[in-house]
Amino acid sequence: MIGDKKVLFSGMQATGNLTLGNYLGALKNWVSLCDEYECFYSVVDLHSITVRQDPAELRQRARKLLTLYIAAGLDPKKNCLYYQSHVSGHAELAWILNCFTYMGELNRMTQFKDKSAKHADNINAGLFTYPVLMAADILLYQADVVPVGKDQLQHLEITRDIAQRFNAIYGDVFTIPEPYLGKTGAKIMSLQEPDKKMSKSDENANASVYLMDDPDTVMRKFKRAVTDSEGCVRYCEEQPGIRNLIDIYGACTGKTSAEIEKEFEGKGYGDFKMAVGESVVAILKPLQERFAELEKDKGYLDGIIKENAEKAEYYALKTLRKVQKKVGFPERAR
Ligand code: ATP
Ligand code: LTN
């Protein structure tokens, strides 16, 4: 707890360009959470170097992501938005937690298996202990809740195991985090293969709408979106392509699927795709404008980055000092 609020932590990697899926499924829903929770959103750049990165590009992407957090509506006065690498406590706690994590547990992580298959020439120890760093992120802030996608639930589970193991030895040091299952946005699917989720690492650029796509590109991608053969706008299992477009249109306009079916009764896919494209353009436009303004205001952003890192560090150090004491490190002279 911080004050009378529960703590929420989440992070995103600055790899790849954010998609409409990331926005509708995560970012957009994060905006209102600060009323109920004390929120920390990190750009997890320590995690990013588990696969090889171009340094200039990583720096640029990390800044872009942090700027996008703000452009998407996260108020940096109410949410702590910071770079993981600016708070050294993440790495320090990760080391300690490494000594409370078993090889066998890490060996079972499916993301490690997937990523080592994908990067067979660089199976480094960081990739293996990635979940321990993630545990450190969460436990450092004594987070009660963590909004994550399904693919990260296994990492949240190991975080809980590590925390419980530590607490069993040293007393109640860590809050045991729960996955955040509140109001989550729709799962947005690929525009080209609607049985696969829209993902920023998809190699086919037509499959994903990126938050920085210009209106023409957005409209073109929706025109080319794979649809089904029924020819009518109906929300059903047999039409995964149309269902996805209805989900997107609904998320952008606030309309229900029944309202959307009614709106497009008797109309073909062409009209519907245009409307979906336009609704996405309407959502992205203000976000892109805000992004451009923020990017120009270097002094403002730098100030936010510094202020928020200091705030994160304050809470991180509280936990870290407690943990260091518990495991038996000598106290510092005051
Ligand atoms: P990658 O392709 O690199 O795995 P990703 O696009 O799948 O990335 P993540 O970084 O894994 O995205 O996820 C960031 C957040 O966005 C998570 O909270 C996740 O649940 C959400 N998210 C990602 N893709 C979608 C999607 N298609 N629909 C809804 N939410 C999504
Ligand atoms: N592994 C996560 C990103 C991440 C994270 C976290 C999410 C790193 N640390 C802590 C929630 C809490 C991912 O790739 N989506």
Side-chain angles (χ1 to χ4, degrees):
M1 300 288 271
I2 295 182
D4 57 354
K5 281 182 174 168
K6 286 190 170 181
V7 177
L8 178 150
F9 185 97
S10 199
M12 270 199 208
Q13 292 211 46
T15 35
N17 289 318
L18 287 204
T19 69
L20 188 64
N22 297 129
Y23 179 69
L24 296 177
L27 262 186
K28 182 170 173 262
N29 310 297
W30 290 358
V31 173
S32 60
L33 296 177
C34 66
D35 295 333
E36 192 178 347
Y37 298 98
E38 190 68 38
C39 297
F40 293 83
Y41 298 108
S42 186
V43 171
V44 291
D45 45 2
L46 299 183
H47 279 106
S48 296
I49 63 163
T50 54
V51 303
R52 201 66 75 225
Q53 303 288 341
D54 174 77
E57 203 171 295
L58 176 61
R59 210 177 339 266
Q60 213 176 33
R61 281 188 193 281
R63 179 140 177 140
K64 210 169 145 184
L65 179 55
L66 209 138
T67 311
L68 258 178
Y69 278 175
I70 305 173
L74 290 174
D75 179 346
K77 296 270 177 225
K78 294 187 184 155
N79 298 273
C80 189
L81 314 174
Y82 73 99
Y83 298 123
Q84 187 186 29
S85 61
H86 281 189
V87 180
S88 58
H90 288 258
E92 292 180 71
L93 181 61
W95 171 255
I96 296 174
L97 298 182
N98 264 320
C99 304
F100 294 84
T101 308
Y102 298 112
M103 300 284 285
E105 286 177 300
L106 292 175
N107 262 324
R108 286 198 291 274
M109 296 291 118
T110 55
Q111 181 177 292
F112 173 67
K113 289 183 207 164
D114 293 347
K115 288 207 176 169
S116 24
K118 211 167 152 190
H119 305 278
D121 56 337
N122 182 20
I123 306 179
N124 60 70
L127 197 60
F128 188 61
T129 60
Y130 179 116
V132 184
L133 179 58
M134 183 159 157
D137 298 342
I138 297 166
L139 301 179
L140 202 49
Y141 299 93
Q142 306 287 357
D144 296 277
V145 291
V146 182
V148 280
K150 268 203 192 114
D151 61 322
Q152 296 296 314
L153 283 177
Q154 200 184 27
H155 289 162
L156 199 58
E157 208 40 57
I158 196 175
T159 300
R160 291 164 54 88
D161 291 344
I162 296 169
Q164 272 156 352
R165 183 172 307 141
F166 196 94
N167 284 356
I169 304 172
Y170 300 105
D172 270 344
V173 177
F174 294 124
T175 303
I176 309 298
E178 305 274 347
Y180 177 77
L181 301 170
K183 188 181 86 162
T184 44
K187 183 170 173 194
I188 307 300
M189 311 308 278
S190 154
L191 296 186
Q192 292 299 314
E193 296 166 80
D195 50 345
K196 246 177 61 182
K197 80 163 190 168
M198 185 182 285
S199 156
K200 55 181 144 61
S201 53
D202 201 311
E203 274 152 27
N204 181 352
N206 283 324
S208 305
V209 173
Y210 300 106
L211 296 186
M212 289 300 141
D213 278 348
D214 60 53
D216 288 348
T217 309
V218 173
M219 294 307 290
R220 182 171 41 80
K221 286 181 179 176
F222 279 104
K223 267 185 215 151
R224 287 196 193 159
V226 168
T227 41
D228 310 280
S229 51
E230 288 200 13
C232 63
V233 178
R234 197 164 64 83
Y235 197 86
C236 58
E237 284 296 317
E238 304 79 51
Q239 299 207 99
I242 286 296
R243 209 175 53 200
N244 188 35
L245 295 182
I246 294 178
D247 278 336
I248 294 174
Y249 190 60
C252 292
T253 58
K255 294 177 185 168
T256 64
S257 45
E259 285 166 353
I260 297 170
E261 284 178 353
K262 204 152 172 235
E263 183 179 347
F264 291 94
E265 215 174 298
K267 294 190 185 149
Y269 288 157
D271 288 345
F272 181 50
K273 283 177 166 184
M274 288 291 286
V276 181
E278 280 161 12
S279 75
V280 171
V281 169
I283 287 264
L284 295 188
K285 198 165 165 258
L287 191 145
Q288 292 173 355
E289 284 169 0
R290 179 96 183 95
F291 181 86
E293 270 169 34
L294 285 164
E295 240 189 350
K296 271 191 274 173
D297 202 344
K298 187 170 177 305
Y300 168 76
L301 264 184
D302 288 346
I304 293 289
I305 289 169
K306 184 161 180 283
E307 228 171 77
N308 277 311
E310 282 166 3
K311 177 175 169 190
E313 179 133 61
Y314 170 81
Y315 290 106
L317 267 181
K318 262 176 123 166
T319 303
L320 186 66
R321 293 288 177 257
K322 194 165 166 189
V323 170
Q324 288 170 330
K325 192 170 170 193
K326 290 283 183 186
V327 298
F329 295 165
E331 282 200 60
R332 287 154 206 259
R334 282 176 198 269

